[in-house]
Amino acid sequence: AVLIIGNEILSGRTQDVNLNYIAKGLAQVGVRLREARVVADVEAEVVRALNECRRAYDYVFTTGGIGPTHDDITSPCVAKAFGVPLVLDDRAVALLTRHYQPGQLNEARLRMAHVPEGASLIDNPVSTAPGFQIGNVSVMAGVPSIMQAMLDEVAPTLKTGIKMLSETVKANCREGDIGGPLGEIA
């Protein structure tokens, strides 16, 4: 399942492009996507959706809500869902310390180094601030270029099944005319 987290998606201010990339990427490695949800930046809703999905599916991928602003609540929500504390991760702090010039690693940016206790980090070759994995949940950035790089790091680690191959055939027919025969074939 994919959880797209953010009020900016629900308000229409930001158009989600991550779902398409995730769906294609998972299909290419043989992981079938079964559900996608868009969830507001509301703690109870994020925790509920995450718990429902992580119990129902082998993998859950989240996008959004791990940046430096006040509305980036995904990390504490994931910690709450798993019943573990949110901790300042020394590995993440070291990455951010190397990335930012002295004096630029402020309190807001340090928010990006907080992860649920026991989580492993997902590398971020684009802007350094890592995502993380805990249990069957991979938590990734909402910024498309960063999310794509993170998914590319995670995908090779997944247990995969049969890869989905598809091809588009242009038939110059109307759906209503071929729906019955295609249903018989399926």
Side-chain angles (χ1 to χ4, degrees), residues 8-185:
E8 66 278 6
I9 303 295
L10 290 167
S11 71
R13 289 189 319 266
T14 301
Q15 182 178 357
D16 175 72
V17 296
N18 290 333
L19 179 58
N20 182 266
Y21 189 88
I22 294 169
K24 286 181 178 178
L26 293 178
Q28 288 174 351
V29 298
V31 174
R32 187 172 179 195
L33 182 61
R34 301 290 304 227
E35 182 175 350
R37 297 185 192 187
V38 181
V39 184
D41 293 317
V42 176
E43 180 184 277
E45 293 177 25
V46 174
V47 171
R48 183 182 69 247
L50 183 62
N51 280 331
E52 288 172 0
C53 288
R54 73 185 182 95
R55 289 183 185 115
Y57 300 105
D58 293 331
Y59 298 113
V60 179
F61 304 89
T62 74
T63 66
I66 61 171
T69 60
H70 71 284
D71 62 339
D72 288 316
I73 63 167
T74 300
S75 297
C77 289
V78 173
K80 186 170 188 174
F82 277 87
V84 298
L86 187 70
V87 297
L88 184 62
D89 187 284
D90 292 337
R91 301 163 297 172
V93 171
L95 289 168
L96 294 172
T97 299
R98 285 193 297 274
H99 179 73
Y100 289 104
Q101 297 293 322
Q104 288 186 341
L105 186 54
N106 58 26
E107 200 61 37
R109 289 183 174 122
L110 273 174
R111 286 174 53 96
M112 298 184 292
H114 286 84
V115 301
E117 188 173 72
S120 59
L121 300 182
I122 298 173
D123 189 36
N124 171 1
V126 176
S127 67
T128 306
F132 60 88
Q133 290 179 296
I134 184 168
N136 62 339
V137 178
S138 296
V139 178
M140 303 178 294
V143 175
S145 62
I146 299 171
M147 187 286 306
Q148 291 170 9
M150 287 180 174
L151 183 66
D152 293 347
E153 292 287 325
V154 170
T157 70
L158 303 175
K159 290 182 188 174
T160 61
I162 298 171
K163 295 179 174 133
M164 175 62 69
L165 303 175
S166 66
E167 185 174 336
T168 300
V169 176
K170 191 168 187 168
N172 293 323
C173 300
R174 296 179 304 208
E175 277 184 304
D177 294 336
I178 62 172
L182 286 178
E184 291 174 23
I185 291 170

